[in-house]
Amino acid sequence: MSRLAKKPIIVPAKVTVTSSDGTLTVKGSKETLSRSVHSSIAIDVTPEGVKITPKNNTRLAKALTGTFAAHLRAMIQGVETPFKKVLQLNGVGYKVELKVKDLVLNVGFSHQVSMPVPDGLTATVAKNLITIEGADKQKVGQISAVIRRLRKNDPYKGKGIRYEGEQIRRKVGKTGK
C-alpha cells in the first residue's frame, strides 16, 4: 500500500470533500470536480482529513489507494488554483487562432486542423503560445498532449509544437564534402 495513502489527506478550509454512492466530489470556491471511485476502495471523510483505505487485501486494491490519493490531492489543488500548460509553436508559417471554443492550427499541413476545447477548460492564444487552463489536471494534460502530438518536434530543424521551457535535443544534419 502507498505510504502517502496511509496518512490522512488534509483538506483546506475553503474546500469541501464528500464521498457517497461511489462518487468522490471536491468543491471549491470556483469549481466542483467529481470522480467515480473503484469498488475496492473505501474513502472516509473526517474532520482530520480524508482517509483512503483498501476494502480487501488484493494487489489491485493496494495499488488503487495510492492512485486515488494522488487523484484527490490533484482535485483539491485544482479547485483552489487551476492547472496550466503552455504550448509553443515553432516553425515558418505555423500559427494558431481561437474561434469560439475551437483552436484552429496551421502547422504545415495542406489543411487547417480544428481542435475543440473541452468543457471546463479555457484556452487563450497569444502569437505562437497556447495556454490551456482548468481545474482538472488530467483534462489539461490530455488536451495539451493531443495538441502537441499534431506536429512533433523535428530534431533537425526544431519545428513543431512543444511545451514552454522544454528542451529539444537537436541533431546535426548531413554535411556535404
Side-chain angles (χ1 to χ4, degrees), residues 85-89 94-98 101-107 109 113-118 121-125 128-133 139-153 160-163:
K85 291 268 187 179
V86 179
L87 295 156
Q88 183 178 10
L89 277 73
Y94 285 19
K95 57 185 173 182
V96 63
E97 57 184 330
L98 187 63
K101 283 286 277 184
D102 289 345
L103 288 170
V104 179
L105 296 119
N106 292 326
V107 285
F109 297 120
V113 179
S114 179
M115 176 82 49
V117 178
L121 299 182
T122 59
T124 56
V125 174
N128 64 344
L129 295 178
I130 305 169
T131 305
I132 309 288
E133 284 187 294
K139 278 186 182 179
V140 171
Q142 183 65 40
I143 193 68
S144 299
V146 169
I147 293 170
R148 185 175 182 270
R149 206 175 313 135
L150 286 174
R151 185 56 90 175
K152 292 185 180 177
N153 283 295
I161 302 172
R162 64 174 165 219
Y163 295 114

Side-chain angles (χ1 to χ4, degrees), residues 9 11-12 15-19 24-27 43 45 50 72 76:
I9 299 167
V11 180
V15 178
T16 59
V17 178
T18 57
S19 176
L24 177 66
T25 306
V26 178
K27 186 175 183 179
I43 296 179
V45 180
V50 180
L72 180 60
I76 290 171

